[in-house]
Amino acid sequence: MILRMWKGQSTAERAGEYIRHATRIVFPKLREIEGHRGAYLLRRPINWGVEFVVLTLWDSMEAVHKFAGADDDEAVVEPEAQSALSGFDDFVTHFDVVHGIEQPY
C-alpha cells in the first residue's frame, strides 16, 4: 500500500472553504478511482492560520497514477482549493506502508 502526503496552509477565515472543497468535491471523486483505499484530512493551528495535511491511501503507484497522472510527485490542487489556500506544497511525498493497525470506530 502507498500513502500519499501533501500539505497546504490557509487563513483561519478561509479554512472552512478548503475543508468543504476537500470533503465534498475531492474525497468523493477519490472514492471512484480503482485502487483508492482511504483519505484523511488533518488540521492544526499555526501562528498565522491553519495547516492542513492530506493523506491518501492507494493499492499501488499504478493506482496513484489514475489520480495524479504520469508525474505522480506533483500535487493535484484544483483552482477552487487554491483560492482557499494561502500556500501549498507543489509536490507530494509517497511512502510505502510497511505496517498498520485498523481500529474499529
Side-chain angles (χ1 to χ4, degrees), residues 4 6 14 23 39 43 47 53 55 81 86 92 95 101 103:
R4 180 179 169 98
W6 171 84
R14 303 215 52 199
T23 59
R43 167 181 71 185
N47 287 340
V53 177
L55 305 174
S86 53
V92 302
F95 296 90
I101 300 172
Q103 296 288 331

Side-chain angles (χ1 to χ4, degrees), residues 24-71:
R24 294 181 185 170
I25 305 296
V26 178
F27 285 8
K29 288 180 185 177
L30 294 178
R31 284 188 204 106
E32 298 176 7
I33 300 172
E34 184 180 349
H36 177 256
R37 293 293 169 239
Y40 295 90
L41 175 58
L42 312 178
R43 167 181 71 185
R44 73 179 184 121
I46 55 177
N47 287 340
W48 49 268
V50 176
E51 180 178 44
F52 293 106
V53 177
V54 179
L55 305 174
T56 55
L57 294 165
W58 304 88
D59 281 340
S60 64
M61 286 306 295
E62 290 77 24
V64 171
H65 292 157
K66 294 175 187 174
F67 167 67
D71 195 352

